[in-house]
Amino acid sequence: MADALLIVEGLTKRFGGVVASDNVRLDVARGELHAIIGPNGAGKTTLIGQLAGEIAPNTGSVQFDGRDITALPVPDRSLLGLARSFQITSLFPHFTALENVALAVQAHAGHSFRFWRPAREESVLREPAGAALERVGLSHRADTLCASMSHGEHRQLELAMALATGARMLLLDEPMAGLGPDESARMVKTLRQLKGELTILLIEHDMEAVFALADRITVLVYGRTIASGTPTEIRANAEVRQAYLGEQEAVSHV
Amino acid sequence: MSGLFTPRNVMVAAVLVLLALMPVYCALTANTFLMSFFTRVLILGMAAISLNLIMGFGGMVSFGHAAYLGIGGYVFGILAKEGVTSGLIQWPAALLICGLFALAVGALSLRTRGVYFIMITLAFSQMAYYIAIALDRYGGDDGMAIQRRSQFGDLVNLNNRTFFYYLCFVLLLATVYLVWRLVNSRFGLVIQGARSNERRMRAIGFPTFRYKLVCFVIAGVICGLAGVLLANFSDFINPSAMNWIRSGDLIVMAVLGGMGTVLGPLIGAVAFLMLEEVLSRFTEFQGLILGPLLLAVALYARGGIDGILMGLRRG
């Protein structure tokens, strides 16, 4: 695919005898929202870990924007514009919401060997951070300590931080995990707004959200990609139905 | 103005005023003991503040921080013995060697976490300790008396007690200001972020290792300066200055005073050394009192003395 932003080829990761990623192939087009679904233990988080650079694959390659990044360290990938959110909320609890996001802005505003000026007062950091909070609907909580925010707000904040890095592509690991119906709806709304503007790789268990949002879906089972296509194609795919969707009756009615 | 006159700020101001006026009181009462006692408080307070920069703000629990006290002192002492008496050479040389030592220790230890980090910093400081013991020419196990304090020309005379005290006081205040600017700068936020959640810091694009290493070196250099002051003050160098027990004392000062603030360790140094001094008049077993006290801080007052003061409301 000529216009692919992310191309994954032959990615394999073994943990002892367990093959968590088995020759995974994947390409994500620019501006696309690409979802990865699969039953528990299918290797979705391991895949994200390899794309973000935390886990080194045994074989295979990852290309981002035409560049081979298979061996690139985590911070460098972020600087190229590949941002991730975490499945388990991973924030800075003793910082306010704005400070959390400002830190993400700072990471992409040159080196941080600046020892003198109070960073919390720098408008070049605060303003983009405020804008990112605005986009996820958290402006009113800017000065709240992260530790005293709700789980739903944490998920929004995770997203704001990924946005604030100026990312071109987001790797979202179950952004809706543990959210109530209202919060889920708000997250879907936020993602819909981001769609088209950013390229998004979404891992999600909430099938309703996935089928509503995704341009394309890749199905992962036991570390292998068994199908890839539009939501309609995936829903009609016999192998997918058998391997995965069949377990969840509700999905066939979506 | 209620933000300014909190019990905590009043207490901090009182401690600083007390420290500033101590030489006046000592001059009036001709009390030389108090004078030298508080000179030590200032110097060790400085060392504790430097430790807290990496431990409290950076989450790097170094169990070998006293090594810099010793190395700073030894570089000064060795140069003095070899006839180099100018402070303009001694002091920068001491700070440089401490910086290089910190660079070596940090480059290795910062690749590890938790207990391993503690063990590697401890191992390096014990290495420095045993090297000092092996230096027969410089007193070996017994240490060595230093004949002349650092020379800075005619204007500065480190032999003058009052002058020396105020020199330490000014350098301490400078350290407090420097560390305070540092922890609130972009650099400081990276250090604090890495303590809080290093994985996330890397994910948003910070190569955390190099920032932590620089922080580690800065702390080592500041503590090295405290070491030069301490050796000048006591006219003596001695391997036990870098024994792990001394490193432990520095940790206790920081924890007791409060790791969350720049000034906490200074308050801790004042409290710790005063307690140690007072208790030593009543009992040989100071640990019996200090131990449970530290336990109480660890269990019930994580913010240390400074944290308790900050929690107090007015009236």
Side-chain angles (χ1 to χ4, degrees), chain A residues 54 74-75 78 86 90-93 103 106-109 112-120 122 158 161, chain B residues 177-178 181-182 184-187 189-190 192-193 196-197 199-207 210-211 214:
Chain A
E54 284 191 345
V74 176
S78 169
F86 288 84
S90 177
L91 297 160
F92 307 100
L103 208 50
Q106 186 188 323
H108 295 254
S112 285
F113 289 107
R114 299 180 192 182
F115 301 98
W116 209 245
R117 267 179 77 188
R120 290 187 185 87
E122 285 191 58
E158 280 269 345
M161 286 178 73
Chain B
Y177 184 63
L178 179 91
R181 292 298 298 224
L182 206 65
N184 289 301
S185 70
R186 287 194 185 194
F187 177 79
L189 293 192
V190 176
Q192 294 186 60
S196 172
N197 191 343
R199 186 175 173 214
R200 184 59 193 237
M201 286 298 279
R202 288 174 56 76
I204 60 178
F206 286 111
R210 62 184 74 155
Y211 293 102
V214 169

Side-chain angles (χ1 to χ4, degrees), chain A residues 18 24 64 84 107 190 217:
Chain A
V18 180
V24 173
F64 181 68
R84 79 169 290 189
T190 308
I217 297 173

Side-chain angles (χ1 to χ4, degrees), chain A residues 1-253:
Chain A
M1 179 173 285
D3 204 28
L5 182 59
L6 184 81
I7 302 173
V8 176
E9 274 173 352
L11 208 64
T12 300
K13 179 66 192 178
R14 284 178 221 95
F15 293 108
V18 180
V19 184
S21 299
D22 186 359
N23 201 22
V24 173
R25 280 187 48 87
L26 181 72
D27 46 59
V28 182
R30 274 172 221 280
E32 174 179 70
L33 195 154
H34 194 118
I36 294 185
I37 61 172
N40 281 325
K44 301 186 294 291
T45 296
T46 304
L47 178 59
I48 287 260
Q50 292 172 92
L51 299 183
E54 284 191 345
I55 301 171
N58 295 108
T59 58
S61 72
V62 181
Q63 284 178 49
F64 181 68
D65 202 13
R67 180 175 167 184
D68 188 326
I69 61 165
T70 316
L72 211 59
V74 176
D76 298 359
R77 295 187 197 210
S78 169
L79 295 176
L80 282 182
L82 189 61
R84 79 169 290 189
S85 78
F86 288 84
Q87 182 179 352
I88 293 157
T89 304
S90 177
L91 297 160
F92 307 100
H94 305 299
F95 287 6
T96 65
L98 188 74
E99 284 166 3
N100 266 274
V101 185
L103 208 50
V105 177
Q106 186 188 323
H108 295 254
H111 68 78
S112 285
F113 289 107
R114 299 180 192 182
F115 301 98
W116 209 245
R117 267 179 77 188
R120 290 187 185 87
E121 292 163 18
E122 285 191 58
S123 56
V124 290
L125 301 178
R126 290 179 67 94
E127 278 164 18
L133 281 181
E134 177 106 48
R135 292 185 80 177
V136 302
L138 275 180
S139 299
H140 62 295
R141 301 285 271 167
D143 296 322
T144 308
L145 267 189
C146 176
S148 49
M149 293 168 76
S150 74
H151 177 68
E153 289 173 326
H154 283 160
R155 305 307 304 182
Q156 301 283 123
L157 190 53
E158 280 269 345
L159 194 57
M161 286 178 73
L163 285 176
T165 60
R168 287 182 290 159
M169 178 164 185
L170 302 181
L171 305 172
L172 303 179
D173 195 356
E174 298 200 28
M176 284 157 231
L179 295 189
D182 292 352
E183 293 169 328
S184 278
R186 185 163 359 120
M187 183 61 85
V188 169
K189 194 177 146 218
T190 308
L191 290 181
R192 205 188 294 279
Q193 283 166 359
L194 295 175
K195 197 178 145 176
E197 193 179 329
L198 287 167
T199 309
I200 298 174
L201 186 71
L202 173 71
I203 289 185
E204 188 49 62
H205 270 300
D206 183 338
M207 287 304 138
E208 206 173 318
V210 166
F211 280 90
L213 283 168
D215 298 308
R216 284 201 302 150
I217 297 173
T218 293
V219 184
L220 207 61
V221 176
Y222 296 123
R224 286 183 303 120
T225 43
I226 62 164
S228 197
T230 64
T232 320
E233 287 165 3
I234 292 300
R235 208 176 277 141
N237 185 309
E239 199 181 349
V240 174
R241 295 183 78 97
Q242 192 190 349
Y244 179 55
L245 297 181
E247 298 169 7
Q248 298 186 3
E249 287 302 323
V251 173
S252 51
H253 306 302

Side-chain angles (χ1 to χ4, degrees), chain B residues 31-153:
Chain B
N31 188 336
T32 55
F33 166 76
L34 263 188
M35 188 80 172
S36 54
F37 174 75
F38 275 100
T39 309
R40 270 188 70 228
V41 168
L42 295 179
I43 295 171
L44 291 176
M46 198 165 145
I49 288 172
S50 76
L51 169 63
N52 196 47
L53 172 62
I54 50 175
M55 184 171 76
F57 291 97
M60 300 171 256
V61 183
S62 165
F63 203 174
H65 208 61
Y68 305 99
L69 275 180
I71 293 171
Y74 265 86
V75 173
F76 153 68
I78 288 171
L79 286 174
K81 167 140 176 126
E82 301 303 340
V84 182
T85 55
S86 167
L88 295 176
I89 296 173
Q90 290 171 343
W91 292 34
L95 301 195
L96 181 72
I97 303 280
C98 282
L100 290 175
F101 185 74
L103 192 65
V105 178
L108 273 168
S109 62
L110 288 172
R111 295 180 193 283
T112 64
R113 297 271 173 284
V115 175
Y116 301 100
F117 179 82
I118 294 174
M119 284 299 125
I120 291 179
T121 53
L122 174 63
F124 268 101
S125 77
Q126 287 301 93
M127 232 143 69
Y129 171 67
Y130 285 109
I131 288 172
I133 287 180
L135 293 174
D136 286 333
R137 179 171 166 78
Y138 306 106
D141 210 355
D142 300 327
M144 173 178 78
I146 296 163
Q147 306 304 326
R148 286 184 83 180
R149 291 187 176 179
S150 298
Q151 304 297 307
F152 284 97

